[in-house]
Amino acid sequence: MEVRRSARRRSTVTAYREGDTLVVLIPAGMSRAEERHWVAEMERKLQRTETRRASPSRESDGALLARCAQLSARYLDRSVLPASVRWVPPMRTRWASCTPADTTIRVSERLRDVPAWVLDYVLVHELAHLREAGHNARFWELVRRYPKTERAIGYLEGLSAAAGWGISELDTDD
């Protein structure tokens, strides 16, 4: 755990994870007793949030494949199912990719810690590519069946910008 005091921060307390470290941002003028209280409080809040948003799909490639089956049934009329879905080392310019010819999907390990609804969007996006290879109107009609599409796109754009990764797109292989 790391506590960072800020002279600019007046009353707000914020917490987030940086790798395995819990970082708590507090006002510089806060007493040690207040610091202990807020560190414990923020740790509890963050733990609840992480538990709520944890996705079993993170556990294995098999869990990703099972999640794809659920998403296909719910949003794509069971019309597509990949032959395989697997976690891969971080891609330089993509969150995920698929190869429609052999119906395989690869998901960047950078997505292991995103909220479940963001990972679900990425999977729906790639599943839609198994029916429509390009980013045409038919493709987007399929993807937008997932109700959090726009929100997830915004989340991914923000994540990429904040981390300086330059990732702007999910894409297919030729």
Side-chain angles (χ1 to χ4, degrees), residues 5-142:
R5 290 178 173 265
S6 170
R8 291 185 357 194
R9 191 174 285 274
R10 296 286 174 221
S11 61
T12 60
V13 177
T14 305
Y16 61 91
R17 294 229 185 260
E18 205 170 75
D20 291 334
T21 304
L22 170 65
V23 178
V24 181
L25 308 175
I26 63 172
M30 192 173 272
S31 71
R32 294 290 177 204
E34 290 172 315
E35 176 183 322
R36 282 191 301 277
H37 165 78
W38 281 107
V39 165
E41 180 67 21
M42 297 310 284
E43 188 171 25
R44 274 192 300 276
K45 283 184 176 185
L46 197 57
Q47 190 106 35
R48 276 195 315 266
T49 300
E50 290 170 343
T51 301
R52 264 197 320 267
R53 72 178 179 181
S55 169
S57 305
R58 300 168 212 270
E59 296 171 12
S60 68
D61 295 348
L64 275 177
L65 184 61
R67 186 61 182 156
C68 280
Q70 293 169 344
L71 293 168
S72 178
R74 186 166 184 181
Y75 300 110
L76 302 170
D77 307 318
R78 289 184 173 30
S79 63
V80 291
L81 190 60
S84 71
V85 185
R86 62 189 172 94
W87 291 104
V88 297
M91 300 179 201
R92 288 186 319 123
T93 61
R94 300 176 183 177
W95 295 112
S97 65
C98 74
T99 306
D102 66 3
T103 67
T104 60
I105 296 174
R106 292 157 305 286
V107 180
S108 173
E109 288 181 347
R110 286 184 170 143
L111 295 175
R112 279 196 189 263
D113 295 324
V114 301
W117 56 269
V118 175
L119 180 58
D120 283 353
Y121 160 73
V122 171
L123 295 174
V124 168
H125 184 111
E126 296 305 324
L127 287 166
H129 274 310
L130 298 181
R131 278 192 36 195
E132 286 291 330
H135 289 106
N136 58 30
R138 288 185 309 263
F139 166 80
W140 284 110
E141 182 273 320
L142 292 171

